[in-house]
Amino acid sequence: MSTLLANINAYYAHTTASTNVSASDRFAASNFGKERFVKLLDQLHNSLRIDLSMYRVQELQSPPRASQVVKDCVKACLNSTYEYIFNNCHELYSRDHRLHCPFQAKKGEVPPEEQGPSIKNLDFWSKLITLIVSIIEEDKNSYTPCLNQFPQELNVGKISAEVMWNLFAQDMKYAMEEHDKHRLCKSADYMNLHFKVKWLYNEYVAELPTFKDRVPEYPAWFEPFVIQWLDENEEVSRDFLHGALERDKKDGFQQTSEHALFSCSVVDVFSQLNQSFEIIKKLECPDPQIVGHYMRRFAKTISNVLLQYADIISKDFASYCSKEKEKVPCILMNNTQQLRVQLEKMFEAMGGKEVRQGPGRVTATPVSPQGPEFVPDEFWLTCSLGPQQLDAEASDILKELQVKLNNVLDELSRVFATSFQPHIDECVKQMGDILSQVKGTGNVPASACSSVAQDADNVLQPIMDLLDSK
């Protein structure tokens, strides 16, 4: 109102270049009218009296510090700014990006009903984050140096980050609750938005005094969608497993190298699992309880995938136990052992504390064609702790999986050893036949010792040939 009056006064207070008519005459000749002007003056006068009386009362009780007044003004401006960019997000984002990416202007305009938050996509929130960052950066770099009269009490950049985050967090929480009811977007899109929100929080909010010593809320907004991604990821891992085994089978389960006694399917399966785990790890979830939920779900994925691998190997294992394919069953047993070795490494990476290997467990040393190496019951594997200790339930799942894989390996070893039985029986029969042909009674003279030694070698030859072939 005061601005309006000032403009009116400025207009009528000076004669114009084109006429010498006085200001009062021009005012009287206008359609505004003297009475309306006087009425506006009275309203302004009354308004000022009310404001001044309220300030006097406030001053008598506890007048605010100048820094607090400025801070309240800054917060009021930020509230208005957030409301403005929220309501005009698409227009502001598009205008800014047209300056940097002119080709974007050629695309069709987005209908007004699709320019705000939608359960069909997440574009709005990515654009809003971009605008919020630009506001915080402007406040930090432009306004903080200007409003520096209260360096210990007022930092516009930090206030901007706090106010913007609080308003954004409220809207984002409700939006994700609505998305959780419908699930119309891809889980990958939710994961990408999760990473953007995490970056915004870590970059501008995490070190603010209000938030520094408390667990942030944003991981809880995205927990349902991360679990959804983990569910879908298990299906992807299962499909990848079948593909890896088919390729390995076509290649005849060849060793990956001269010194590695296992084939490539084990490497491929764990490459997929490790990639999935890296994504979960990069979320850097600061809420231990939610991390526990993720680890439990991922532990189930590991268990289901590795047990399926072992099951497929076990079903076809007996068909490979023949003289023509003696090397293949050894590689398959080594594959099963390598699953256990890689599982131990993943257990450690996930924050596992310790795994007890049961009696007669196989060591991390690959199984050679001569058979696995066993260790005493006292053997313990101790893993270094990561930033967070693995959830107890997830740990139990992986420990149980280790035992199940060991039982699978024991069964494969039994089947492999049983496949030798007919050959062993044949060799023993040959030894008996040769032994029956050996002649001699009582004491053997020294001159005949060489002949007896040769006969002994001949008797043992069939069984030695069998052992040498293994």
Side-chain angles (χ1 to χ4, degrees):
M1 187 182 292
S2 60
T3 302
L4 173 63
L5 293 174
N7 290 337
I8 294 172
N9 183 61
Y11 179 78
Y12 288 110
H14 306 88
T15 56
T16 63
S18 58
T19 178
N20 291 325
V21 180
S22 67
S24 60
D25 292 337
R26 284 190 293 115
F27 185 78
S30 71
N31 61 0
F32 191 84
K34 180 178 180 181
E35 292 182 0
R36 186 179 300 177
F37 187 73
V38 172
K39 185 177 180 180
L40 284 174
L41 285 175
D42 289 341
Q43 289 180 357
L44 177 61
H45 182 247
N46 290 331
S47 177
L48 290 174
R49 286 178 60 190
I50 294 172
D51 288 345
L52 286 172
S53 64
M54 291 177 62
Y55 181 76
R56 288 192 187 98
V57 172
Q58 187 180 36
E59 184 179 25
L60 290 174
Q61 294 177 352
S62 56
R65 294 173 60 85
S67 61
Q68 185 62 44
V69 174
V70 177
K71 184 181 291 187
D72 291 343
C73 291
V74 170
K75 288 184 176 180
C77 290
L78 288 167
N79 284 321
S80 299
T81 300
Y82 178 83
E83 182 179 0
Y84 179 73
I85 64 174
F86 187 95
N87 294 331
N88 301 275
C89 180
H90 176 76
E91 180 184 351
L92 294 171
Y93 182 88
S94 300
R95 184 177 66 190
D96 180 63
H97 277 250
R98 282 196 187 102
L99 297 175
H100 302 287
C101 307
F103 65 85
Q104 297 244 359
K106 299 179 181 179
K107 296 184 178 180
E109 291 294 327
V110 178
E113 64 272 11
E114 297 181 14
Q115 293 181 7
S118 170
I119 60 172
K120 296 180 180 179
N121 62 68
L122 300 168
D123 296 344
F124 172 84
W125 300 103
S126 296
K127 295 174 183 177
L128 184 61
I129 289 173
T130 301
L131 295 178
I132 287 174
V133 169
S134 66
I135 295 296
I136 296 174
E137 285 292 333
E138 182 180 11
D139 290 342
K140 182 170 67 173
N141 298 323
S142 300
Y143 292 103
T144 301
C146 295
L147 298 173
N148 61 353
Q149 294 84 356
F150 315 99
Q152 303 300 322
E153 303 174 54
L154 177 66
N155 184 303
V156 177
K158 291 182 178 180
I159 295 175
S160 177
E162 181 178 344
V163 171
M164 286 289 168
W165 173 261
N166 285 334
L167 295 170
F168 171 78
Q170 185 177 6
D171 290 331
M172 192 74 192
K173 178 184 177 183
Y174 293 146
M176 291 299 98
E177 289 174 354
E178 195 66 22
H179 273 266
D180 189 25
K181 297 175 184 176
H182 303 279
R183 303 286 182 104
L184 299 180
C185 302
K186 296 178 180 178
S187 61
D189 294 335
Y190 290 115
M191 292 291 284
N192 288 332
L193 181 59
H194 190 349
F195 277 108
K196 291 178 182 178
V197 173
K198 182 204 82 169
W199 176 85
L200 175 65
Y201 183 88
N202 289 345
E203 188 74 13
Y204 296 102
V205 183
E207 294 302 315
L208 296 177
T210 309
F211 300 91
K212 197 167 186 179
D213 296 323
R214 75 184 195 192
V215 177
E217 296 180 359
Y218 75 86
W221 311 337
F222 291 95
E223 182 181 356
F225 309 107
V226 177
I227 296 296
Q228 177 187 347
W229 180 82
L230 286 169
D231 291 340
E232 296 171 1
N233 182 260
E234 179 172 325
E235 294 301 317
V236 172
S237 298
R238 285 175 181 268
D239 293 340
F240 193 86
L241 159 67
H242 287 287
L245 273 173
E246 283 298 317
R247 290 190 300 271
D248 209 358
K249 186 176 181 179
K250 286 180 181 179
D251 295 338
F253 295 103
Q254 297 294 317
Q255 297 173 215
T256 56
S257 68
E258 181 182 354
H259 302 289
L261 302 177
F262 49 87
S263 60
C264 62
S265 58
V266 177
V267 178
D268 293 343
V269 167
F270 269 94
S271 293
Q272 166 68 17
L273 291 174
N274 279 314
Q275 287 175 9
S276 302
F277 176 64
E278 282 300 313
I279 293 175
I280 296 299
K281 201 162 79 169
K282 286 178 181 177
L283 287 176
E284 298 174 336
C285 180
D287 189 325
Q289 185 176 2
I290 294 178
V291 172
H293 297 164
Y294 295 163
M295 291 300 100
R296 290 177 209 171
R297 183 61 190 85
F298 187 59
K300 291 177 182 177
T301 293
I302 296 171
S303 180
N304 292 336
V305 170
L306 298 193
L307 288 177
Q308 188 167 19
Y309 183 101
D311 184 57
I312 295 173
I313 291 294
S314 298
K315 286 180 179 178
D316 297 333
F317 185 75
S319 65
Y320 294 110
C321 295
S322 63
K323 290 183 180 180
E324 296 77 17
K325 300 179 181 178
E326 284 183 352
K327 191 174 181 180
V328 173
C330 293
I331 291 176
L332 293 179
M333 286 190 291
N334 285 330
N335 283 0
T336 306
Q337 170 59 13
Q338 190 62 20
L339 292 180
R340 301 183 68 236
V341 173
Q342 294 299 322
L343 176 59
E344 290 170 0
K345 293 180 180 179
M346 182 160 280
F347 181 85
E348 177 183 354
M350 292 169 66
K353 188 175 182 181
E354 59 185 20
V355 174
R356 180 163 185 174
Q357 306 277 44
R361 299 311 187 216
V362 185
T363 66
T365 307
V367 182
S368 70
Q370 283 73 33
E373 178 185 351
F374 289 83
V375 291
D377 182 50
E378 292 76 18
F379 177 72
W380 286 70
L381 171 67
T382 303
C383 300
S384 60
L385 286 171
Q388 295 180 342
Q389 185 172 326
L390 182 61
D391 173 78
E393 185 177 332
S395 177
D396 290 342
I397 291 172
L398 297 182
K399 290 177 183 179
E400 184 179 352
L401 173 61
Q402 190 69 268
V403 173
K404 289 179 179 178
L405 290 177
N406 183 74
N407 293 338
V408 170
L409 184 58
D410 288 346
E411 179 61 18
L412 295 181
S413 301
R414 186 194 66 77
V415 173
F416 187 50
T418 303
S419 69
F420 294 151
Q421 193 62 45
H423 198 182
I424 293 173
D425 292 343
E426 178 63 27
C427 292
V428 171
K429 185 175 181 300
Q430 292 177 19
M431 289 174 60
D433 293 340
I434 297 172
L435 185 60
S436 66
Q437 298 174 10
V438 175
K439 296 180 180 179
T441 59
N443 296 327
V444 180
S447 59
C449 283
S450 59
S451 174
V452 173
Q454 183 61 47
D455 289 341
D457 289 343
N458 292 337
V459 170
L460 294 175
Q461 192 63 45
I463 198 67
M464 295 303 297
D465 291 341
L466 173 62
L467 295 175
D468 289 340
S469 68
K470 304 304 176 189

